[in-house]
Amino acid sequence: YRASKASASVLVSLCSVAGEPAFLYTLRSSEMRGMHKGDVSFPGGKCDSSDRDLVHTALRETHEELGVQVMEESVWGVMKPVPAMGGMVIVPVIANLGLLESLTLKPSTTEIEVVFTVPLPHLCTERNQ
């Protein structure tokens, strides 16, 4: 799916928080223009003509939004494209960011209001499914 005809990709960001696996999410700025303002999301966005492929799109967008450089070696895989609102097709790219405590996040204030994590065990609890 790496060379899919998708129009965007997101980085499904796994990390470790106090030794526990977690997903890293963003809350998009409510000041943004467009249909995704105020949404909880993974970092990501539309493909640029300069992007080599959808993995590069996800890594570039993550750097722009969170100020963190994720290396391609941290990518675990690319998932099946997902249809989204407005006819867009989004490709999820899974990557391990490592220890959250060792990352220096510098969220873009024009795009991101909050960065937060949700522990994987919390998501696996039956009442949260």
Side-chain angles (χ1 to χ4, degrees), residues 73-119:
E73 296 81 38
S74 300
V75 173
W76 285 359
V78 178
M79 297 173 64
K80 181 178 173 183
V82 178
M85 298 185 310
M88 289 186 71
V89 176
I90 300 172
V91 170
V93 176
I94 303 172
N96 182 359
L97 304 182
L99 297 171
L100 183 67
E101 298 85 356
S102 67
L103 293 175
T104 303
L105 299 174
K106 298 175 188 162
S108 165
T109 56
T110 59
E111 294 188 64
I112 306 299
E113 280 187 22
V114 177
V115 177
F116 64 97
T117 60
V118 177

Side-chain angles (χ1 to χ4, degrees), residues 2-127:
R2 185 182 195 113
S4 173
K5 297 231 185 280
S7 46
S9 63
V10 296
L11 195 71
V12 179
S13 308
L14 293 163
C15 61
S16 176
V17 180
E20 193 166 61
F23 286 105
L24 185 138
Y25 292 96
T26 65
L27 176 63
R28 296 219 176 256
S29 171
S30 57
E31 303 298 317
M32 288 178 66
R33 294 187 304 170
M35 68 171 87
H36 299 294
K37 64 181 176 184
D39 286 356
V40 170
S41 67
F42 291 113
K46 292 181 182 177
C47 300
D48 280 354
S49 59
S50 64
D51 293 336
R52 289 186 314 270
D53 55 30
L54 292 160
V55 169
H56 186 258
T57 299
L59 298 178
R60 176 186 52 76
E61 286 283 344
T62 299
H63 184 256
E64 289 175 10
E65 294 176 16
L66 300 179
V68 65
Q69 188 74 45
V70 180
M71 304 308 293
E72 196 160 344
E73 296 81 38
S74 300
V75 173
W76 285 359
V78 178
M79 297 173 64
K80 181 178 173 183
V82 178
M85 298 185 310
M88 289 186 71
V89 176
I90 300 172
V91 170
V93 176
I94 303 172
N96 182 359
L97 304 182
L99 297 171
L100 183 67
E101 298 85 356
S102 67
L103 293 175
T104 303
L105 299 174
K106 298 175 188 162
S108 165
T109 56
T110 59
E111 294 188 64
I112 306 299
E113 280 187 22
V114 177
V115 177
F116 64 97
T117 60
V118 177
L120 191 55
H122 176 78
L123 295 173
C124 293
T125 303
E126 188 174 338
R127 72 174 191 266

